[in-house]
Amino acid sequence: MVRASRLMAVIKREYVERVRTKWFIFTTVFGPVFFLAISVLPALLTVRSVQQASGPDIRILDATGSELGVRVARAMRERAENNTLQKVVSGSTPIVIIDPQIVRLASTALAAAESTATIDVMRGVTQGYLVLDSATVATAKARYAGKNASSLGAMSQIEGALRSALLTQRLEGAGITGLRADSLARVKADLSTERITSKGRGGSGLVSAIFGFLIAFLLYMMIILYGQNILRGVLEEKTTRVAEVVVSSISPETLLAGKVIGVGAVGLTQQLVWLGFAVAISAYGLGMAASMGITTITMPQVSAFQLVCLVLYFLLGYTFYASLFAAVGAMCNSQEEAAQAAQPVMLLLVASIILVQPILAQPTGTMATVMSLLPFSSPIIMPLVMSGTQVPAWQIGTSLAGLLLACFGAIWVSARIYRVGLLMTGKRMSIANVLLVIKLGRRY
Amino acid sequence: MSELALDIRGVSKRYAEHTAVDALSLAVPKGTVYGLLGPNGAGKTTTIRMVLNIIAPDEGTISIFGASNRDYRTIDRVGYLPEERGLYKKMEVRRVLRFLAELKGVSARNADHRIDEWLERLSLKTPDKDWGKAKVDELSRGMQQKVQFIATLLHDPDLVILDEPFSGLDPINAQALKDTVVELRKRGKTVIFSTHLMDNAERLCDSVCIIAGGTKILDGTVASVKGAHGGNNVALSIAGGQERLAALLADQRMIDKVDDQNRFFEVKLHQGADPQALLRAIIAAGVEVQRFELVQPSLHQIFLEKVGATGVEPGMSGHG
């Protein structure tokens, strides 16, 4: 039985005692900084490292007696320059070959040059070497050996560069010469992307992808952060034995509900503060940009419906995981035990977040659809997919309904574990114990 | 018969490995001090937790002031001090107390007033220092126990249940606890406490119940329990001459049982033996007698007799 005034007392305590801590103030102020650091920085660093990579690249051993080696090297450089942030976000491996070294030699000297190159690769002087022999021009076959031979990105870059160089070479052989051959072979397609939803054209695809990624990551962080927070709270009540005093006054269900709601309110408070920061900063930033004459900044366009969904997914996802974390806390007797017992729950969360990149790359794929419907991953994946593509209403409905159902299930199960676990001290509950508790409930 | 504060009927609680409480029935009259006595593992804490609706019995009914204990409005009238004590360590004392009072339905404003009263009464708030503003983990253990005790009584409960209240208390806090129990009784409240310290029970309780192995061994008013076990008992205190006394007390024609506590002896005489003859023999032996009194058996004696020394873990039956 849950009584409103008692529930309020629990919510108030959970909320006030957390908001009063230095930890809360610290994370609220420095959270955005930290969040930017771990979400955006790696992407930026990858781009920079692509552009500024120096040192040993690959060696091209050209025994064709033609310009093929030079052409391959030029094609490689061009491909590296075309590498953009978009490719990083969409999950393709960044291209790393920028400055190939060309060695022109006769066919007879090839064997010796190859063994020298092998030694150089082993010493780390160069990453690998590409062999263009006398048959390459005719058969379009070349060999590559190197440390990065298993890197798909590097190999596709080499292959692409070789293809375009061979094309130029063959065009020349067919009598089309010089610049004309170059321009024919070097068709550079530049695809700018734009989302179309049922409401019309929806702004830059890239911007919504980045936005979706940030949202997914934020949801993931908040659920982990506050889920763990609940776990610690339950564990504290259990180890200090204060739980017995509390459940002698109110039902464990009231305590559990108050805890989940109170801590969730702390999370919402924090997000509101951050939203305030974001609005202030972007207003300031846009003003600055406008004064500098930049007017083409694309902002992610979020509809009211999307916003409502976002809040719903956060609340339900948080409730689902918070209940599970609470049950884990009630099962354990120490931080160490809890860290171990929380692994399965963490695994569900991590499974969702590691699929963010592939799903972002293909938001209409089967994996995206399945993961956005499964209750354990939908709170993270569905907002992500929604930012990348138009999701049919029935899918959103099914996903939310499933999540809601899963929430009830999680609350029901963890209330049962919670009631018994809270007073069971000394040893961790075994799986058999937990199953029995779920089956028997209060009669355990 | 006066109204019952607590009425337990045929309550059982079984776990996979053992039966904690077996068909237990108790009746605690309103306005009395009631002792729940038993060795460790007798089922006292399980019984108390069932009374407070923390765990549900497999069988039987429990009512408090005539109403079901499944109704939380009933539980609001109960104050509970668990055996394992604990508070939120990082919280301010005053905030913890306010929170626990609110859980019992006391408004925050009312609670503040009462908290001040109690803090002053238990000298946790003096003109020099207000411990109410300190965090719980800044308090000594004794002070934390006082705070916990305040939390039990803050909502002015009609029924107060104390599980092993004397364990871990220093003599001063123990005395304060006894004083409070007496005062609660005077104000018409009902106090139930569990203990294995028979001396405290004997002095404080109107009625007692001895349980062991989850079943009731006996219950009733202290006077009736003692009367029913009335025998030829002698309380004997000496100032010296233990060796000479030991020889006399070893005489099995005269003595049934001796509880030897070095300078104090509780002696159960053999049926028909003459206590005067024993006294003469003791004096003749030159033992320095300080006290020789014909008494009813102490609860401690009855407890040992009924539960058996085997039912008591070593060192658990001491006097408090």
Side-chain angles (χ1 to χ4, degrees):
Chain A
M1 189 169 65
V2 176
R3 286 178 299 173
S5 68
R6 315 301 155 90
L7 180 64
M8 270 314 292
V10 178
I11 294 173
K12 202 173 78 187
R13 194 198 83 82
E14 298 291 339
Y15 183 83
V16 173
E17 289 305 315
R18 277 182 179 75
V19 170
R20 276 163 57 93
T21 57
K22 294 189 187 77
W23 178 84
F24 177 79
I25 296 166
F26 183 81
T27 52
T28 306
V29 174
F30 291 100
V33 179
F34 173 72
F35 181 67
L36 277 178
I38 60 168
S39 61
V40 177
L41 222 55
L44 286 176
L45 283 176
T46 328
V47 175
R48 289 191 72 80
S49 71
V50 167
Q51 284 164 353
Q52 293 185 344
S54 59
D57 269 336
I58 70 160
R59 187 174 295 174
I60 299 173
L61 304 177
D62 183 1
T64 58
S66 70
E67 292 292 308
L68 187 62
V70 180
R71 288 184 211 273
V72 170
R74 190 166 56 204
M76 281 177 181
R77 266 181 230 119
E78 279 164 7
R79 264 154 211 278
E81 280 159 20
N82 288 346
N83 186 30
T84 61
L85 175 66
Q86 190 162 356
K87 285 182 181 155
V88 176
V89 171
S90 66
S92 66
T93 316
I95 289 159
V96 289
I97 301 160
I98 290 154
D99 194 17
Q101 174 199 3
I102 307 154
V103 179
R104 303 179 70 159
L105 68 178
S107 291
T108 47
L110 198 56
E114 271 193 61
S115 35
T116 316
T118 305
I119 291 164
D120 283 350
V121 171
M122 281 155 66
R123 279 192 194 140
V125 176
T126 180
Q127 295 212 18
Y129 58 90
L130 177 68
V131 180
L132 309 171
D133 58 26
S134 50
T136 299
V137 178
T139 60
K141 278 185 181 149
R143 277 176 290 128
Y144 178 80
K147 283 184 175 160
N148 52 355
S150 54
S151 154
L152 288 177
M155 290 314 103
S156 85
Q157 185 199 0
I158 294 171
E159 222 172 70
L162 183 64
R163 195 183 310 122
S164 100
L166 278 169
L167 185 57
T168 322
Q169 192 97 341
R170 286 184 181 179
L171 284 169
E172 274 186 9
I176 302 160
T177 49
L179 283 172
R180 203 163 140 66
D182 268 356
S183 74
L184 275 175
R186 224 192 305 147
V187 177
K188 186 187 141 208
D190 183 9
L191 187 67
S192 90
T193 56
E194 193 172 24
R195 280 182 65 208
I196 294 178
T197 68
S198 60
K199 291 184 189 64
R201 292 151 59 124
S204 157
L206 179 61
V207 170
S208 13
I210 293 176
F211 178 70
F213 177 74
L214 286 179
I215 288 297
F217 204 72
L218 185 70
L219 287 175
Y220 167 76
M221 294 278 297
M222 296 303 278
I223 288 172
I224 287 221
L225 218 62
Y226 285 97
Q228 298 267 25
N229 203 306
I230 291 230
L231 190 155
R232 274 197 304 276
V234 172
L235 209 56
E236 191 211 340
E237 277 173 351
K238 196 177 156 174
T239 51
T240 61
R241 315 296 174 105
V242 75
E244 186 163 356
V245 183
V246 176
V247 297
S248 74
S249 304
I250 56 171
S251 64
E253 288 79 11
T254 310
L255 179 60
L256 179 63
K259 210 172 253 310
V260 171
I261 297 170
V263 175
V266 176
L268 276 180
T269 306
Q270 199 158 47
Q271 288 181 40
L272 279 177
V273 173
W274 289 348
L275 192 68
F277 279 165
V279 168
I281 288 171
S282 60
Y284 178 74
L286 284 180
M288 284 282 286
S291 71
M292 281 154 50
I294 305 167
T295 51
T296 54
I297 293 176
T298 9
M299 292 298 285
Q301 294 179 355
V302 186
S303 67
F305 174 71
Q306 252 180 313
L307 213 60
V308 168
C309 285
L310 210 61
V311 172
L312 275 180
Y313 275 108
F314 170 71
L315 289 180
L316 292 176
Y318 159 78
T319 307
F320 176 75
Y321 279 104
S323 320
L324 294 183
F325 276 119
V328 169
M331 275 159 53
C332 300
N333 289 302
S334 67
Q335 292 283 359
E336 294 75 29
E337 264 182 32
Q340 204 182 20
Q343 291 289 343
V345 183
M346 292 293 284
L347 215 62
L348 289 179
L349 271 167
V350 171
S352 314
I353 202 73
I354 56 172
L355 290 176
V356 159
Q357 282 211 341
I359 284 172
L360 203 53
Q362 220 180 346
T364 51
T366 315
M367 185 164 63
T369 312
V370 171
M371 294 296 279
S372 63
L373 290 179
L374 287 179
F376 73 88
S377 55
S378 65
I380 291 168
I381 300 300
M382 185 56 105
L384 177 76
V385 174
M386 281 172 73
S387 75
T389 182
Q390 173 82 16
V391 182
W394 72 265
Q395 277 188 15
I396 299 178
T398 312
S399 156
L400 277 173
L403 184 56
L404 194 67
L405 220 62
C407 269
F408 280 120
I411 292 168
W412 185 79
V413 165
S414 61
R416 296 195 144 202
I417 297 176
Y418 193 69
R419 177 180 268 282
V420 175
L422 218 47
L423 296 178
M424 194 185 266
T425 51
K427 58 173 189 190
R428 185 171 139 191
M429 285 168 89
S430 65
I431 299 292
N433 248 338
V434 170
L435 293 178
L436 198 64
V437 166
I438 293 171
K439 193 174 144 212
L440 293 176
R442 257 177 72 79
R443 286 179 295 120
Y444 181 84
Chain B
M1 192 173 119
S2 64
E3 196 195 329
L4 292 181
L6 174 65
D7 189 5
I8 298 180
R9 289 194 192 169
V11 161
S12 298
K13 183 70 191 173
R14 280 179 285 274
Y15 291 103
E17 310 89 43
H18 69 292
T19 301
V21 176
D22 193 10
L24 183 71
S25 294
L26 292 179
V28 179
K30 212 169 157 182
T32 58
V33 178
Y34 193 91
L36 199 55
L37 316 179
N40 286 0
K44 297 182 303 251
T45 297
T46 305
T47 304
I48 288 173
R49 282 181 177 175
M50 285 192 287
V51 168
L52 284 148
N53 196 28
I54 297 174
I55 51 179
D58 294 330
E59 285 154 26
T61 57
I62 298 171
S63 41
I64 297 171
F65 299 117
S68 166
N69 74 330
R70 304 293 287 272
D71 184 345
Y72 272 95
R73 275 170 302 184
T74 312
I75 296 293
D76 279 351
R77 296 176 67 185
V78 184
Y80 173 45
L81 180 75
E83 180 179 6
E84 301 273 8
R85 284 155 222 166
L87 297 162
Y88 293 97
K89 289 198 179 348
K90 296 284 167 206
M91 262 176 104
E92 235 178 75
V93 169
R94 199 175 292 274
R95 287 172 172 276
V96 177
L97 288 173
R98 197 185 294 149
F99 171 64
L100 293 175
E102 279 181 286
L103 292 187
K104 287 290 189 184
V106 181
S107 71
R109 200 179 312 127
N110 264 335
D112 280 347
H113 178 65
R114 293 188 202 176
I115 290 167
D116 278 329
E117 253 178 41
W118 272 104
L119 288 177
E120 279 167 27
R121 186 166 158 188
L122 294 185
S123 54
L124 285 171
K125 189 184 173 193
T126 60
D128 306 327
K129 175 80 187 171
D130 182 3
W131 286 102
K133 285 184 185 143
K135 282 188 181 167
V136 169
D137 60 1
E138 291 165 15
L139 269 60
S140 71
R141 233 182 95 209
M143 288 195 247
Q144 288 187 24
Q145 282 171 340
K146 284 184 188 172
V147 173
Q148 188 111 44
F149 192 59
I150 294 175
T152 307
L153 299 177
L154 207 47
H155 59 290
D156 196 24
D158 296 317
L159 172 62
V160 180
I161 300 181
L162 312 168
D163 195 359
E164 297 287 354
F166 295 102
S167 73
L169 286 195
D170 62 31
I172 296 165
N173 278 344
Q175 188 55 47
L177 178 62
K178 285 177 199 163
D179 292 346
T180 314
V181 168
V182 170
E183 198 226 297
L184 286 168
R185 162 99 165 63
K186 279 184 191 149
R187 288 174 49 214
K189 310 290 185 183
T190 311
V191 181
I192 300 174
F193 66 90
S194 79
T195 187
H196 49 240
L197 303 179
M198 298 303 145
D199 276 14
N200 281 327
E202 180 149 5
R203 292 196 208 107
L204 279 170
C205 295
D206 298 302
S207 305
V208 292
C209 169
I210 296 180
I211 62 173
T215 51
K216 181 162 75 181
I217 305 292
L218 60 85
D219 66 348
T221 62
V222 172
S224 71
V225 168
K226 286 185 149 194
H229 293 79
N232 230 350
N233 275 47
V234 171
L236 176 63
S237 292
I238 58 169
Q242 275 90 340
E243 300 77 17
R244 277 162 281 170
L245 183 65
L248 291 171
L249 294 182
D251 182 357
Q252 293 194 348
R253 284 167 306 168
M254 208 167 184
I255 313 286
D256 261 359
K257 204 170 166 192
V258 179
D259 181 10
D260 180 349
Q261 294 170 34
N262 189 27
R263 285 189 44 253
F264 176 82
F265 298 80
E266 190 165 342
V267 182
K268 190 175 183 212
L269 294 182
H270 195 66
Q271 195 105 41
D274 180 9
Q276 299 306 323
L278 176 65
L279 178 59
R280 280 194 297 272
I282 291 172
I283 290 171
V287 178
E288 293 174 58
V289 177
Q290 288 183 319
R291 173 185 170 204
F292 185 95
E293 191 183 352
L294 282 173
V295 293
Q296 287 184 313
S298 66
L299 272 183
H300 183 71
Q301 276 304 325
I302 297 170
F303 182 83
L304 286 182
E305 199 174 299
K306 285 291 173 183
V307 176
T310 48
V312 186
E313 288 170 41
M316 287 300 170
S317 64
H319 291 235

